[in-house]
Amino acid sequence: MSFSHQTTLTPQQKSRSTEPPPPVFQRLPPEIYDCILRHLAVFHKEPASMSCETCHLRDLYALALVDRAWDRAVRPRLYCKIHLVGNDWPAHTKKFKMKAGVRLKLLRRTLREQRVLAQHVREIKVPRLQADGEEVGAKTLDMVASLVMACPNLEKLIGFYPVYGHGFDRLTYALSSRSNLKERVWIIAENPSITERSLKQLPPGLMDLEQAESFLHFHDRWRSLSTLFLCSQKQGVLERDIFVQSLHRLPALQHLCISNFDVDDFDDVTLQSLPPLQSLRLQDLEGVTFWGLSEFARTKPAGSIRQLSLVNLDITYLSAISNILLHLTNLQRFTLVQESSPEVAAGDLVFQPVIASQALHYLHWDILVPGSANENLASSIRAGGFPSLRTLRAPSDYDGQLQMLCRPRSQVVLPSDKYSKAYRASGEGNTGGTARTLFTARKLAQERIEGARNTVKFRVVIEEEGVVQEVFEIQG
């Protein structure tokens, strides 16, 4: 007896059985794509790689052409950071009849036509649009401003920093309207009306009400701004109360750089009014004194600083640096660059270590005319004043006092140094004894290393029954 069983398939089941299985990548979760793209970025951006950003973008573009799944994963990364490097293609400049900015114009057109792509843009690096010494024209400002307005989620504008002379321009307004902006560079230029007013009256009050309110109003929407650069150029004025009010309008501010302002704009009183920060750089400020720095280190907002840079402030006494390192308990990186040497005040008692920090692990110490500053630092390190210090950078360590305290290295000079003009000039003896160049510093450090190798550090003597059999000399 035999039985036959026949199964009837529906049309949908027949079509399913004949269709090939979907590709593997279509069934992967988004996290797998992100992991692959992160490893690809590391491959292109690691220091040992011979690749560049253009090669990375070329690989991303190739992946986007594979299928729709890869396109959805790659598109945010492809348009997240847009860096326009180098000059425009000559054929494009001839076609559009423009000397520069052709790629900006094409990018602006793409982002305006495809607003979905514009939503992904977080960072734009603008190429060089004018020659050295040439002022930025109104058309160039308007072009960059229109590109900024096309990117609603823009966080950084890199490589293009026009001056601000307390007048209206479209780029300043466009950047002030980006609520997600995280970095802003202000280069304050001279204003004719303020200069004329300064000839008749003394500050404060050089900026009129409209100029002050306009500058403050630009900061109202920057709730996410974390990095701010304020620099004066050609007697640019930004008065004290404007400094304080603008900084306190930025709740997310963490990194601040202030440079080249006059004593009437930024002084010790303004320094005490700074908000809590993680990193602070003060450079070429006539109004900041060693007393103001000592008092600032004792304030509560200063306790959060982890990175501090003091450049060309001419700190007179070493006690100011000692107070800074003593009270800033969270400080991890400290930079001091100036020409004169901070000395111990006459009549002060000196105890070792003279300066000390328990948390500091990076120190850049560059005194052009060291005096006793390098000696005091070396004795402080030797006395255990910096137990967490791992990196010491001292370009002005002419006699090697600080290098002797560091772990020996076989080579300090870089392979690219031999192609440098400054390095060749130092080899010919064209630099003075107090030249401040990294090439000269590395060359002198390497010479000290080579000299130590030829110096006998240990001598091993083998004797048998009072007779010297062999002598071994071990060089450093």
Side-chain angles (χ1 to χ4, degrees):
M1 183 181 295
S2 62
F3 298 92
S4 62
H5 179 72
Q6 185 175 4
T7 303
T8 304
L9 299 176
T10 62
Q12 293 180 352
Q13 291 176 335
K14 291 181 179 179
S15 62
R16 290 176 183 174
S17 62
T18 57
E19 289 180 355
V24 176
F25 283 110
Q26 292 185 5
R27 301 194 303 268
L28 292 178
E31 292 76 10
I32 301 298
Y33 291 102
D34 292 338
C35 182
I36 296 174
L37 294 176
R38 284 198 304 270
H39 280 76
L40 180 64
V42 171
F43 171 77
H44 283 283
K45 298 179 181 180
E46 63 181 3
S49 175
M50 300 297 293
S51 182
C52 61
E53 186 66 23
T54 303
C55 300
H56 181 213
L57 294 177
R58 188 182 294 114
D59 288 349
L60 291 178
Y61 177 71
L63 286 174
L65 298 178
V66 174
D67 55 24
R68 293 182 179 179
W70 270 109
D71 181 63
R72 287 192 299 269
V74 169
R75 184 173 295 184
R77 292 179 177 268
L78 195 60
Y79 284 88
C80 179
K81 296 182 180 181
I82 301 178
H83 288 193
L84 303 179
V85 183
N87 299 324
D88 292 324
W89 192 30
H92 279 172
T93 57
K94 184 177 180 180
K95 177 181 178 181
F96 292 93
K97 298 180 181 179
M98 298 174 61
K99 294 182 178 180
V102 176
R103 287 172 295 173
L104 288 180
K105 185 176 182 179
L106 296 176
L107 176 62
R108 180 186 60 184
R109 184 177 67 182
T110 301
L111 297 179
R112 283 178 173 177
E113 294 176 352
Q114 303 186 42
R115 298 188 179 274
V116 177
L117 300 179
Q119 297 285 340
H120 298 307
V121 179
R122 299 292 187 271
E123 179 179 312
I124 297 178
K125 182 177 181 180
V126 179
R128 191 175 183 180
L129 299 176
Q130 71 279 341
D132 291 337
E134 183 180 348
E135 295 185 0
V136 181
K139 291 184 178 180
T140 303
L141 285 175
D142 294 345
M143 181 187 302
V144 179
S146 60
L147 181 61
V148 170
M149 294 298 293
C151 305
N153 298 319
L154 186 68
E155 297 178 356
K156 291 182 180 181
L157 179 65
I158 303 175
F160 187 73
Y161 308 115
V163 298
Y164 174 72
H166 296 289
F168 177 81
D169 63 82
R170 290 184 59 190
L171 179 59
T172 302
Y173 172 77
L175 290 173
S176 68
S177 65
R178 304 299 91 179
S179 58
N180 293 331
L181 198 70
K182 292 187 177 181
E183 180 180 291
R184 181 66 170 102
V185 177
W186 287 108
I187 302 179
I188 309 300
E190 183 179 4
N191 181 273
S193 62
I194 295 178
T195 303
E196 182 180 357
R197 205 174 294 122
S198 66
L199 300 177
K200 302 177 182 178
Q201 69 179 69
L202 296 175
L206 297 181
M207 296 174 61
D208 58 34
L209 183 61
E210 181 181 357
Q211 293 170 341
E213 290 183 349
S214 297
F215 185 81
L216 292 175
H217 180 66
F218 290 142
H219 299 73
D220 289 341
R221 300 189 62 182
W222 293 339
R223 316 305 294 177
S224 301
L225 192 77
S226 60
T227 304
L228 180 64
F229 296 84
L230 288 166
C231 176
S232 174
Q233 184 187 64
K234 296 180 180 180
Q235 300 180 352
V237 174
L238 190 64
E239 296 183 323
R240 300 175 185 173
D241 55 340
I242 307 301
F243 255 112
V244 177
Q245 294 182 47
S246 60
L247 294 179
H248 284 274
R249 293 192 180 197
L250 306 173
L253 185 63
Q254 297 294 328
H255 313 286
L256 177 63
C257 175
I258 302 175
S259 68
N260 292 93
F261 282 96
D262 190 72
V263 63
D264 297 321
D265 296 336
F266 195 92
D267 58 1
D268 292 336
V269 178
T270 319
L271 181 62
Q272 315 306 320
S273 304
L274 293 182
L277 301 166
Q278 287 191 6
S279 67
L280 175 63
R281 181 185 177 97
L282 303 175
Q283 179 174 350
D284 294 302
L285 300 172
E286 298 178 357
V288 177
T289 64
F290 71 93
W291 177 87
L293 291 171
S294 298
E295 293 299 317
F296 171 70
R298 293 184 174 93
T299 60
K300 185 177 180 180
S304 61
I305 294 180
R306 298 188 175 186
Q307 180 173 346
L308 178 63
S309 300
L310 307 177
V311 182
N312 296 335
L313 298 185
D314 292 331
I315 301 174
T316 309
Y317 298 113
L318 202 61
S319 58
I321 302 175
S322 178
N323 289 333
I324 291 173
L325 299 179
L326 177 64
H327 292 93
L328 301 185
T329 56
N330 293 320
L331 189 65
Q332 298 179 0
R333 299 173 66 91
F334 179 62
T335 298
L336 178 66
V337 179
Q338 63 181 47
E339 293 187 0
S340 60
S341 172
E343 303 290 344
V344 178
D348 286 357
L349 296 177
V350 179
F351 298 96
Q352 292 296 342
V354 182
I355 54 178
S357 174
Q358 298 296 317
L360 197 71
H361 64 77
Y362 177 91
L363 176 59
H364 182 104
W365 186 271
D366 188 5
I367 311 297
L368 184 61
V369 185
S372 63
N374 287 358
E375 183 180 352
N376 288 324
L377 176 61
S379 61
S380 299
I381 296 176
R382 196 177 295 109
F386 297 87
S388 302
L389 188 63
R390 296 295 179 269
T391 303
L392 173 60
R393 194 178 190 188
S396 300
D397 183 24
Y398 305 117
D399 52 3
Q401 294 185 73
L402 301 175
Q403 185 181 2
M404 292 174 59
L405 302 174
C406 300
R407 179 183 300 172
R409 295 177 56 183
S410 60
Q411 186 171 351
V412 177
V413 294
L414 302 178
S416 59
D417 283 347
K418 59 183 178 181
Y419 302 108
S420 169
K421 293 182 179 179
Y423 187 79
R424 290 197 296 268
S426 65
E428 297 171 0
N430 295 334
T431 59
T434 57
R436 179 181 285 168
T437 64
L438 292 177
F439 310 103
T440 304
R442 286 195 291 265
K443 180 176 181 294
L444 294 176
Q446 187 66 39
E447 289 177 355
R448 287 191 287 268
I449 293 174
E450 299 296 338
R453 288 174 179 171
N454 299 326
T455 304
V456 177
K457 294 295 183 181
F458 304 99
R459 181 176 284 105
V460 180
V461 180
I462 301 177
E463 295 184 2
E464 291 184 4
E465 298 179 357
V467 179
V468 177
Q469 300 294 333
E470 289 183 280
V471 177
F472 297 94
E473 294 183 348
I474 302 176
Q475 296 176 341

